């Protein structure tokens, strides 16, 4: 597709070069001050990760010894309940603070990925998860090569394994919500430049992983790739799922190597499926649609035409595909695909 960029893509800093990896636009939000943005980001971050930072520092300094597991249901069941409550508290705190600034859950990425026609974007979700596992594996290769420390390993009793799965889910939800989505959306709402947002997101992610020593470089690699995937799609659920599944397999494989083998086969199958779906879409490209983040508004010209209503008049001079003032007089932009008006509209 040629012609000028839609306003939202120009505003996101996406140039007219190769578009195989365009960034999703920032949400249109009322600006806030930098002091407020950093205050909320750091308050939420420290509330859920200060203990982890202190523990990581003690491990790095050799001041934390391995703890022998009791294998007690009383110990691990109550700890698992505590992890579940932390998930609920983190989601509530983030959503309440964000709502005060006009940020809906969907703008953070807490929504089911959907296609332009409203159906669930299964193919896109699979490709996202394939990229996520590739990012995690790439990062963990560097962790394994460079690490000088690690978390204490305890005996894998059944109660501990159940607790570990809950802990993995907690890590997937809270880390991606607090350290990724909340940081990006809040700092961008304050108008902070991308280099600053990127640096803050990566530093906060690395802080509670310093027990790996130089291996924290691997954490930064997969965190940076997760960051790029999030900016591309502005979807959070696939990232949470992949993070939680990876940690779960890592914990459960301590009890049985079969779990590790099954996990490897599942990732290989996911990559193969993602490639097949990509080839199918490449050979059957959809009609030109607006940039990510814009949804069709019904009833539009296509829907009205199907109901027998006259179509909207075309422009006097046919422009290239792009965003143009809506001829229906809605004070919005409507997408012209080069031949007809579509149902896609945007407030920008």
């Amino acid at each position: 597709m040629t012609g000028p960029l839609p306003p939202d893509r120009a505003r996101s800093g996406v140039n007219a070069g190769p578009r195989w990896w365009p960034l999703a636009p920032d949400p249109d939000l009322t600006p806030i001050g930098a002091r407020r943005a950093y205050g909320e980001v750091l308050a939420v971050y420290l509330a859920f990760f200060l203990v982890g930072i202190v523990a990581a520092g003690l491990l790095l300094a050799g001041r934390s010894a391995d703890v022998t597991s009791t294998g007690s249901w009383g110990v691990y069941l109550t700890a698992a309940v505590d992890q579940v409550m932390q998930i609920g508290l983190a989601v509530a705190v983030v959503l309440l603070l964000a709502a005060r600034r006009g940020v809906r859950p969907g703008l953070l990425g807490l929504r089911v990925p959907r296609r332009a026609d409203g159906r669930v974007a299964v193919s896109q979700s699979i490709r996202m998860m394939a990229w996520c596992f590739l990012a995690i594996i790439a990062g963990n290769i560097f962790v394994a090569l460079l690490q000088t420390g690690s978390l204490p390993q305890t005996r894998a009793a059944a109660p501990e394994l159940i607790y570990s799965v809950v802990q993995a889910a907690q890590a997937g939800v809270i880390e991606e919500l607090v350290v990724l989505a909340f940081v990006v959306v809040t700092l961008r709402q304050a108008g902070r430049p991308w280099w600053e947002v990127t640096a803050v997101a990566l530093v906060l992610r690395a802080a509670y992983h310093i027990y790996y020593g130089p291996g924290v470089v691997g954490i930064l690699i997969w965190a940076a790739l997760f960051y790029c995937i999030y900016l591309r799609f502005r979807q959070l659920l696939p990232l949470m799922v992949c993070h939680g599944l990876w940690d779960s397999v890592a914990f459960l494989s301590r009890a049985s190597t079969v779990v590790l083998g099954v996990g490897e086969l599942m990732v290989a199958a996911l990559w193969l499926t993602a490639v097949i779906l990509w080839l199918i879409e490449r050979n059957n490209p959809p009609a030109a649609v607006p940039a990510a983040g814009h949804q069709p508004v019904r009833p539009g010209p296509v829907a009205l035409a199907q109901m027998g209503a006259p179509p909207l008049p075309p422009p006097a001079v046919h422009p290239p595909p792009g965003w143009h003032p809506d001829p229906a007089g809605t004070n919005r932009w409507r997408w012209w695909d080069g031949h007809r008006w579509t149902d896609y509209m945007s407030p920008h």
Side-chain angles (χ1 to χ4, degrees), residues 1 5 32 35 115 117 195 250 262 272 309 328 337:
M1 183 175 64
L5 287 174
I32 61 174
R35 180 178 298 180
R115 305 187 332 181
D117 59 7
W195 70 265
V262 172
L272 180 60
D337 66 4

Side-chain angles (χ1 to χ4, degrees), residues 20-25 107-109 111 113 123-139 176 180-181 184 194 198 201-202 205 219-243 270-271 274 292-293:
W20 72 277
W21 194 260
L23 300 182
L107 297 180
L108 291 169
R111 63 182 185 275
S123 178
Q124 182 193 87
S125 300
I126 291 175
R127 293 198 302 272
M128 280 187 65
M129 294 179 69
W131 280 109
C132 288
F133 280 117
L134 182 63
I136 296 174
I137 292 173
E176 306 311 327
L180 180 56
V184 170
W194 277 116
T198 304
L202 295 183
R205 179 86 74 163
I219 300 298
L220 288 172
I221 290 174
W222 76 255
L225 293 174
F226 261 47
Y227 178 82
C228 293
I229 295 170
Y230 176 72
L231 295 186
R232 167 65 179 88
F233 297 100
R234 292 300 177 106
Q235 299 285 349
L236 205 56
L237 297 182
L239 277 68
M240 290 178 172
V241 170
C242 290
H243 190 156
L270 180 71
W271 285 343

